[in-house]
Amino acid sequence: MFKPVNSRVHFPEIEQKILDLWRTERIFEKSIEIRGSSPKFILYEGPPTANGNPGIHHVLSRVYKDVIPRYKTMKGFCVPRKAGWDTHGLPVELEVEKMLGFSGKAQIEDYGVAKFNALCRESVFKYLKQWNALTERIGFWLDMDHPYVTLDNAYIESCWWAIKQLWDHGLIYRGYKVTPHCPRCGTSLSSHEVALGYQDDAVDPSVYIKFKIHNLPSNITEDMSAKFSLNKAVKDGKTYLVAWTTTPWTLPGNTSLALAADADYAVIEYNGEYLIFARALVESAGLGNSQILQSLKGNELEGSLYEPLFNPHAFNQERKRAKHGVQGQFEVQKPDNKLLYRVITADFVSMEEGTGIVHIAPAFGEVDFQAGLENNLDFVQPVDLAGKITGSYPFAGKFVKDADTGVLNDLDARGLLLKSSKITHTYPFCWRCDAPLLYYAKKTWYIRTSAKKEEMISGNSRINWYPEHIKEGRFGDWLKNNVDWAFSRERYWGTPLNIWACNKCNHYECLGSLTEIKTRKGLKGFSENMDLHRPYVDDVEYDCPKCDGRMTRQTEVIDCWFDSGSMPFAQWHYPFENVDKFKESFPADYISEAVDQTRGWFYSLHAISTLLFDQPCYKNVICLGHILDAQGEKMSKARGNVIDPGTVLDSSGADALRWYMFTASPPGNVRRLSVDMVVEVMRNFLMTLWNTYSFFVMYANIDNFVPGKKAVTPVSELDKWLISSLNQLIADVEDLLDNYDPTTAGRRIESFVNDLSNWYVRRSRRRFWKSQNDDDKISAYNTLYHTLVTLSKLLAPFTPFIAEEMYQNLVRSFDDTSPESVHLDNFPVAHKNLINKDIISDTELAMKICSMGRAARAKNAVKVRQPLPRVIVKARSSSEREALSKLSVQILDELNVKDIAFTEDELKEDKKLSVVAEGDYQVGVVTEITPELIAEGIAREIVRRLQTMRRSAGLEIADHILTYYEGNEQIDRVIQRFSDYIKQETLSKGIVKGIPDKGAYSEKFKISNLEVVLAIRKQGS
Ligand SMILES: [Zn+2]
Ligand SMILES: [Zn+2]
């Protein structure tokens, strides 16, 4: 006997039992142990940070990380899966800052770095329990007991080794460069972090500023006969170059204006003054119809001198210039009250927007900085690292974006603001704290990734991306536009940068291991087993090998993306330990994360691996789209539309949620998700499967079916079809999973389960129901049993719980020599010789004809139980007609018609014929009903009522009954005529006229307008 299966099932409850089974029997551990000597399949776990509750998007990536390894295990691979935790970086510091109510670095310094970092260390495991619980609950098999943790000394030492390798190969440098800087976090961001934070609805000022020309270059020739003289206009102090900007706060840093050398510039008169614009852009400035007084080329104006908007010396601001020949060093210039700035020409000046005159502030923006170096321009930095205006400007002390108004008011008061409005455009913000980023010139440590750009691109060509377009698209583009990795952070909680510098000479050293540190001369501040984090590591110093100075550590920490990107080797403390473990797990066969990681983890893994090992470190990637709410809105705490995974898991269960994640949309697409959508999946798919399974178990128990007891050769077309379909399904699913496509594989299984339930089981009901245990019945049992067992194995990677539940009952309860879990079994193998393509396509056609036939019946509102005389089918060919004749028994039964006929002519709808057409096919149902058919219809209605009454009366499926009835003459005739049929269908031993007073369950009905009273009583056999 199988364990009885309740059709009213609560999946979460079953899943808890399965979790207990896996835990107590160590099934996950065994799934690796039994494959100990098999080839390995390697998953790299992209480490999450456990300083927040895991969300629904984590479930998405975690189930995709699970499905492939489970499949590979069943295919015979050994799949070790090491968990990992990302524990460093700005996100962690921000959480702690928030908790302490801090708004900047000064407060951290006051509070003490040691205390601050201790809190960071604590916070990264704050939600560890929740993470472990969710991971287990959703059935993501991962070795959570031996995770790699990026804050461990061993992990840090491996990162140090990697940095030292890069250092030795000249791939690390310090540049005085413009970096995207977050003023709130007080640190640079790497370009892949910047890419995470663009907002395309940023509102900024759009302003036209006037720069007063002091004198023109002497080479400007003038047409003496013209009325207008530019030289005179300049001398009169009425001539201005007009520049456009969206960042007024950068104007105090302006030290030059750039024009396009070959472009035409026009002088126009406006309100009694003379303004200079690019000729092509005069109109777009919208100053009305202005007459062009004179035209000049950009290079004619080059060398013009203009008055600074803000002379830095008047506002306590330093003015510097690059020291000739020394990269990254600047010299302070003497105060100059009559300071003038020079007009330059440059090829980056756009004629698409603005005025064709670009305001240059070398302290802000890469282009400006480079222009400054090339033209030996002044460098004025009126903004500090917190994004506040320094000096004694009227708007000093304000945050840059808040200073915009002050700057404009000041210029307006001096008549230098021509026009001011607002613009909505794309601007980068800090991906973590949402502060607007500043492009800020400062010193930063870089990894010269651009030196290995070609290698990264060719390595990428060997990676299989799913979806495929990521390879040349999002990821490929990112690699093509590679810029060096700004990887130092002026922060506290991170892997400390392992570079030491002499306090006297210009000597730098990178130390790549603890042993290297230990062997330095004059070492101080180091002890065995010390915490390698700040502030302790800051005290490690030693003698400069070049002079009598001391070597102290550069205070920066490194980008936490470098940590996670180092996991292929750092998780093993390579190369200090586990050299063989690293080698056998490198590269990974498979990784999966969300699409934003093309600029995050996917990139840092690829970059580091290429730099260190000259090859990619992963072969296959499933790149996941984002999750939106049911309305297609981004989920956010602010919107209040975040779905808690727990809610879904408690109501529908992990299998339903997993199935939804796999099949609702392809992995790369964005997907909508709501509690209801998962409930629907549970009803549509899991319940269909469950009902089929429970149907089988119920009948099998009644008939004492024992799996494998008697083999019969299937003769039924239905059985042949199911076996064919099943083997085709196995072949398809295997092929799809081998190609990392769980979505199509899942959908194939789903449509198979539908056909199994709605065609095979429905068409076979009578075979299970009939009383004689003939070969046909045994064949039906064998076929359905084999199919359900195979399904449990096919589904094991997708819905591991229901698969296990079915397997335990169907297989383990009869055969304790079978593997103790479905997940320890092998994946089914398709027997190609059992696939009969004809029978599959023929049955598909029959199902299509039936579905059209049902539609034709429905069109005329004929009840399903009313038998009709005939269905007429117009198929495409004689071979199709042949196929349908072969399956006619099933079609007749399914459509409840007496006869099938074929035609090659068009069917015409009329009173007696209801027609449905689809493509080349037509199906007509003859709706003319004879008294004989009416009687049969009534008999069928009576059967249905009796069957419902059996359930209402609480009878077992195999209980026999006595049936009683009361009705008019017509009912009498129906019951006499169809008594055998009614008895057989309802397990009635007899049908008696007259309702007994008591001891029977009775109900009253109206069937075809006839009053009927029915009663049933259980009959002892
Ligand atoms: Zn920030
Ligand atoms: Zn030195």
Side-chain angles (χ1 to χ4, degrees):
M1 282 270 280
F2 297 100
K3 181 183 79 184
V5 176
N6 194 337
S7 60
R8 255 174 256 135
V9 58
H10 187 53
F11 291 114
E13 213 177 290
I14 290 178
E15 291 174 358
Q16 288 299 343
K17 276 187 224 147
I18 299 292
L19 286 173
D20 286 342
L21 171 81
W22 290 346
R23 214 178 293 126
T24 47
E25 299 303 324
R26 300 177 56 253
I27 302 298
F28 169 48
E29 290 80 356
K30 283 178 188 166
S31 78
I32 295 166
E33 288 158 16
I34 59 166
R35 308 290 190 193
S37 56
S38 309
K40 287 215 157 52
F41 180 88
I42 300 298
L43 166 87
Y44 283 167
E45 155 76 332
T49 307
N51 69 340
N53 252 319
I56 198 85
H57 54 289
H58 295 114
V59 175
L60 174 68
S61 58
R62 285 175 112 63
V63 302
Y64 271 91
K65 286 178 198 178
D66 187 62
V67 62
I68 301 293
R70 279 188 189 268
Y71 167 68
K72 291 292 180 183
T73 300
M74 293 180 78
K75 291 291 282 182
F77 288 89
C78 177
V79 194
R81 282 155 264 180
K82 198 176 178 62
W85 297 110
D86 199 11
T87 54
H88 281 150
L90 205 49
V92 179
E93 290 192 38
L94 281 184
E95 282 302 310
V96 174
E97 277 192 72
K98 228 191 270 169
M99 183 182 87
L100 295 171
F102 290 177
S103 58
K105 288 165 71 176
Q107 283 167 297
I108 299 174
E109 303 266 357
D110 287 348
Y111 182 75
V113 174
K115 263 162 73 189
F116 181 78
N117 274 358
L119 289 176
C120 288
R121 182 186 282 272
E122 241 171 69
S123 88
V124 291
F125 292 118
K126 198 168 161 197
Y127 293 88
L128 186 65
K129 248 194 198 157
Q130 286 88 332
W131 274 89
N132 285 337
L134 182 81
T135 303
E136 190 190 25
R137 179 64 190 87
I138 60 175
F140 176 28
W141 275 358
L142 189 67
D143 181 1
M144 308 289 283
D145 296 331
H146 311 92
Y148 68 87
V149 182
T150 61
L151 60 71
D152 285 346
N153 274 1
Y155 199 97
I156 290 173
E157 193 181 21
S158 285
C159 289
W160 281 359
W161 166 80
I163 293 167
K164 177 71 187 297
Q165 295 297 303
L166 303 181
W167 176 273
D168 287 348
H169 287 92
L171 294 170
I172 291 189
Y173 67 96
R174 193 183 194 201
Y176 201 72
K177 268 192 155 188
V178 172
T179 62
H181 172 85
C182 173
R184 206 228 60 95
C185 300
T187 188
S188 302
L189 272 64
S190 62
S191 49
H192 44 280
E193 285 176 305
V194 175
L196 298 174
Y198 278 99
Q199 294 177 11
D200 47 19
D201 52 357
V203 177
D204 275 311
S206 161
V207 295
Y208 291 82
I209 305 293
K210 288 151 65 181
F211 295 77
K212 190 186 220 173
I213 303 182
H214 189 268
N215 55 279
L216 295 167
S218 51
N219 60 350
I220 284 201
T221 51
E222 282 204 273
D223 179 358
M224 299 309 280
S225 64
K227 273 192 212 153
F228 174 74
S229 159
L230 183 58
N231 271 312
K232 182 172 182 305
V234 168
K235 270 197 196 98
D236 290 348
K238 286 181 172 179
T239 313
Y240 300 86
L241 291 154
V242 179
W244 173 77
T245 181
T246 58
T247 49
W249 57 267
T250 60
L251 290 169
N254 172 277
T255 63
S256 181
L257 292 170
L259 278 61
D262 295 330
D264 290 321
Y265 288 82
V267 185
I268 63 162
E269 189 180 347
Y270 182 73
N271 287 346
E273 293 176 335
Y274 302 100
L275 306 180
I276 300 178
F277 286 89
R279 200 172 171 150
L281 289 160
V282 170
E283 224 172 286
S284 68
L287 300 177
N289 268 345
S290 352
Q291 197 202 339
I292 293 174
L293 301 171
Q294 189 176 345
S295 272
L296 308 98
K297 287 284 179 196
N299 56 14
E300 289 184 87
L301 286 163
E302 184 179 355
S304 300
L305 298 174
Y306 67 92
E307 296 175 7
L309 298 178
F310 301 92
N311 183 328
H313 305 297
F315 299 98
N316 273 328
Q317 205 63 262
E318 273 184 350
R319 182 169 63 93
K320 297 189 236 179
R321 230 176 253 186
K323 199 169 170 181
H324 188 70
V326 187
Q327 203 209 344
Q329 294 211 15
F330 284 77
E331 283 177 322
V332 177
Q333 306 294 303
K334 285 200 184 102
D336 178 357
N337 292 333
K338 296 192 177 133
L339 185 67
L340 295 173
Y341 286 140
R342 185 164 42 92
V343 171
I344 60 170
T345 58
D347 49 15
F348 56 77
V349 177
S350 155
M351 289 294 149
E352 304 296 316
E353 57 175 8
T355 64
I357 299 174
V358 175
H359 132 65
I360 304 287
F364 309 111
E366 178 62 24
V367 169
D368 296 47
F369 185 75
Q370 286 306 326
L373 289 182
E374 279 159 28
N375 294 282
N376 198 26
L377 301 177
D378 284 350
F379 180 94
V380 175
Q381 178 52 283
V383 175
D384 67 14
L385 286 167
K388 290 208 177 97
I389 307 277
T390 54
S392 58
Y393 304 97
F395 38 82
K398 290 204 155 145
F399 182 66
V400 287
K401 295 267 172 180
D402 302 325
D404 280 345
T405 320
V407 173
L408 294 177
N409 287 345
D410 188 80
L411 294 175
D412 197 21
R414 292 190 272 140
L416 297 176
L417 176 64
L418 176 64
K419 256 186 90 178
S420 167
S421 59
K422 297 273 177 198
I423 188 178
T424 304
H425 64 160
T426 303
Y427 194 87
F429 291 79
C430 176
W431 67 291
R432 273 297 162 186
C433 78
D434 261 352
L437 297 183
L438 312 181
Y439 285 84
Y440 198 99
K442 62 178 178 181
K443 279 193 176 169
T444 300
W445 289 95
Y446 281 86
I447 301 174
R448 205 183 303 277
T449 50
S450 56
K452 292 272 187 176
K453 181 168 136 177
E454 291 314 316
E455 288 85 344
M456 286 198 277
I457 290 171
S458 73
N460 180 38
S461 70
R462 282 178 275 152
I463 299 171
N464 300 316
W465 287 88
Y466 308 94
E468 209 193 329
H469 63 80
I470 304 283
K471 182 195 204 123
E472 296 302 329
R474 221 174 145 109
F475 195 66
D477 282 345
W478 181 248
L479 296 179
K480 263 181 240 148
N481 298 314
N482 185 261
V483 292
D484 289 347
W485 183 348
F487 85 123
S488 63
R489 298 285 179 275
E490 301 90 336
R491 296 293 310 190
Y492 309 96
W493 179 242
T495 297
L497 182 65
N498 49 331
I499 295 173
W500 275 258
C502 175
N503 60 358
K504 278 199 181 156
C505 70
N506 216 9
H507 184 58
Y508 286 92
E509 278 185 346
C510 177
L511 303 181
S513 70
L514 295 183
T515 309
E516 270 183 71
I517 296 177
K518 269 188 255 177
T519 49
R520 297 297 105 177
K521 280 211 179 79
L523 181 66
K524 267 192 192 152
F526 180 82
S527 61
E528 292 288 341
N529 304 321
M530 70 180 282
D531 178 358
L532 295 182
H533 287 94
R534 297 189 70 188
Y536 313 105
V537 70
D538 299 343
D539 298 336
V540 175
E541 53 164 81
Y542 58 92
D543 290 344
C544 173
K546 303 275 175 187
C547 74
D548 62 350
R550 293 283 286 169
M551 302 291 287
T552 54
R553 198 187 70 83
Q554 298 289 288
T555 55
E556 289 97 328
V557 297
I558 63 169
D559 186 354
C560 60
W561 293 106
F562 191 93
D563 291 357
S564 53
S566 298
M567 64 72 68
F569 51 92
Q571 65 174 331
W572 300 114
H573 192 207
Y574 176 88
F576 307 102
E577 276 181 86
N578 300 318
V579 172
D580 35 336
K581 273 194 179 145
F582 163 67
K583 283 190 173 150
E584 67 185 19
S585 63
F586 182 93
D589 293 288
Y590 172 56
I591 59 174
S592 176
E593 302 289 339
V595 63
D596 51 5
Q597 299 296 336
T598 45
R599 282 147 198 210
W601 192 57
F602 295 150
Y603 173 67
S604 65
L605 273 179
H606 189 60
I608 293 171
S609 180
T610 307
L611 291 171
L612 289 179
F613 306 110
D614 255 319
Q615 69 173 98
C617 64
Y618 48 90
K619 298 179 191 166
N620 299 286
V621 196
I622 294 183
C623 195
L624 300 162
H626 293 294
I627 296 186
L628 306 174
D629 74 3
Q631 279 69 47
E633 296 278 336
K634 227 170 142 179
M635 287 187 196
S636 73
K637 275 185 195 144
R639 284 200 182 90
N641 59 350
V642 175
I643 292 178
D644 169 30
T647 317
V648 183
L649 292 168
D650 289 346
S651 60
S652 304
D655 279 342
L657 182 54
R658 290 173 65 113
W659 194 254
Y660 183 82
M661 297 291 199
F662 294 136
T663 60
S665 54
N669 292 17
V670 288
R671 69 199 62 223
R672 297 178 179 202
L673 188 127
S674 70
V675 176
D676 290 346
M677 286 167 169
V678 180
V679 170
E680 212 174 292
V681 156
M682 182 192 66
R683 285 204 196 115
N684 289 349
F685 174 63
L686 290 182
M687 281 313 295
T688 306
L689 175 68
W690 189 262
N691 287 336
T692 309
Y693 162 61
S694 101
F695 170 89
F696 168 81
V697 167
M698 185 168 66
Y699 283 96
N701 280 347
I702 291 170
D703 283 329
N704 287 315
F705 169 74
V706 176
K709 193 174 162 198
K710 188 178 177 194
V712 291
T713 316
V715 280
S716 152
E717 291 289 316
L718 272 169
D719 294 349
K720 284 188 205 157
W721 163 73
L722 189 61
I723 294 300
S724 266
S725 279
L726 181 66
N727 280 284
Q728 183 65 57
L729 177 71
I730 298 168
D732 290 352
V733 170
E734 180 182 23
D735 187 48
L736 289 161
L737 287 182
D738 282 342
N739 285 294
Y740 295 84
D741 185 359
T743 303
T744 314
R747 289 174 176 178
R748 284 281 294 107
I749 297 176
E750 185 159 350
S751 97
F752 176 86
V753 168
N754 267 323
D755 292 346
L756 174 67
S757 160
N758 293 325
W759 188 257
Y760 181 81
V761 170
R762 209 166 65 213
R763 299 276 42 84
S764 299
R765 256 175 209 282
R766 201 154 284 117
R767 304 168 67 199
F768 294 103
W769 186 233
K770 66 187 174 189
S771 37
Q772 62 273 44
N773 272 324
D774 57 8
D775 276 5
D776 179 57
K777 189 183 215 179
I778 291 167
S779 172
Y781 274 125
N782 281 344
T783 308
L784 184 52
Y785 174 78
H786 173 68
T787 302
L788 287 170
V789 170
T790 306
L791 267 179
S792 77
K793 294 176 193 175
L794 285 176
L795 281 169
F798 299 87
T799 52
F801 297 95
I802 194 173
E804 185 77 284
E805 174 71 16
M806 286 169 59
Y807 175 88
Q808 290 297 327
N809 195 19
L810 294 174
V811 179
R812 283 288 288 173
S813 60
F814 276 88
D815 176 11
D816 53 15
T817 64
S818 57
E820 67 174 312
S821 158
V822 69
H823 303 287
L824 301 180
D825 207 340
N826 291 325
F827 204 70
V829 176
H831 297 286
K832 299 267 163 79
N833 57 320
L834 294 178
I835 301 175
N836 179 337
K837 302 247 181 206
D838 290 343
I839 209 170
I840 292 176
S841 61
D842 291 354
T843 306
E844 221 166 84
L845 180 61
M847 287 193 247
K848 183 189 175 72
I849 297 302
C850 285
S851 120
M852 291 171 68
R854 277 193 298 271
R857 287 185 71 112
K859 230 170 90 181
N860 262 30
V862 187
K863 274 191 265 172
V864 194
R865 269 166 221 90
Q866 177 57 60
L868 293 177
R870 169 172 298 184
V871 59
I872 306 169
V873 177
K874 177 174 174 279
R876 287 192 305 196
S877 63
S878 59
S879 65
E880 282 193 350
R881 287 191 287 277
E882 224 169 274
L884 291 169
S885 323
K886 235 167 64 186
L887 298 172
S888 63
V889 180
Q890 294 169 30
I891 299 170
L892 296 183
D893 199 32
E894 177 70 20
L895 286 179
N896 196 12
V897 294
K898 294 295 167 195
D899 181 29
I900 184 165
F902 297 97
T903 176
E904 285 173 58
D905 302 327
E906 287 294 305
L907 291 175
K908 282 220 178 77
E909 175 106 16
D910 63 28
K911 259 193 213 157
K912 294 175 189 168
L913 189 69
S914 170
V915 180
V916 162
E918 214 184 291
D920 296 335
Y921 299 96
Q922 280 189 318
V923 175
V925 176
V926 178
T927 53
E928 204 177 19
I929 312 172
T930 59
E932 175 70 0
L933 288 176
I934 291 176
E936 189 181 339
I938 294 173
R940 283 178 181 248
E941 288 293 340
I942 290 175
V943 165
R944 183 176 75 92
R945 300 305 207 278
L946 287 170
Q947 275 160 349
T948 314
M949 286 171 65
R950 290 179 56 104
R951 279 198 292 276
S952 307
L955 296 184
E956 295 290 324
I957 201 95
D959 285 342
H960 284 86
I961 55 171
L962 261 185
T963 298
Y964 305 90
Y965 78 96
E966 247 170 40
N968 68 6
E969 227 175 287
Q970 199 180 343
I971 295 291
D972 273 346
R973 273 203 303 275
V974 168
I975 284 182
Q976 276 159 32
R977 167 80 180 76
F978 292 99
S979 80
D980 283 350
Y981 163 72
I982 296 171
K983 281 188 205 163
Q984 191 196 333
E985 295 289 314
T986 60
L987 289 189
S988 296
K989 289 279 189 191
I991 305 181
V992 182
K993 185 165 174 148
I995 302 293
D997 294 340
K998 47 183 176 178
Y1001 175 84
S1002 90
E1003 282 187 38
K1004 218 180 255 178
F1005 301 100
K1006 213 166 198 182
I1007 298 173
S1008 294
N1009 275 325
L1010 304 171
E1011 302 267 357
V1012 189
V1013 184
L1014 295 170
I1016 58 172
R1017 169 187 283 168
K1018 186 175 164 184
Q1019 171 82 345
S1021 47

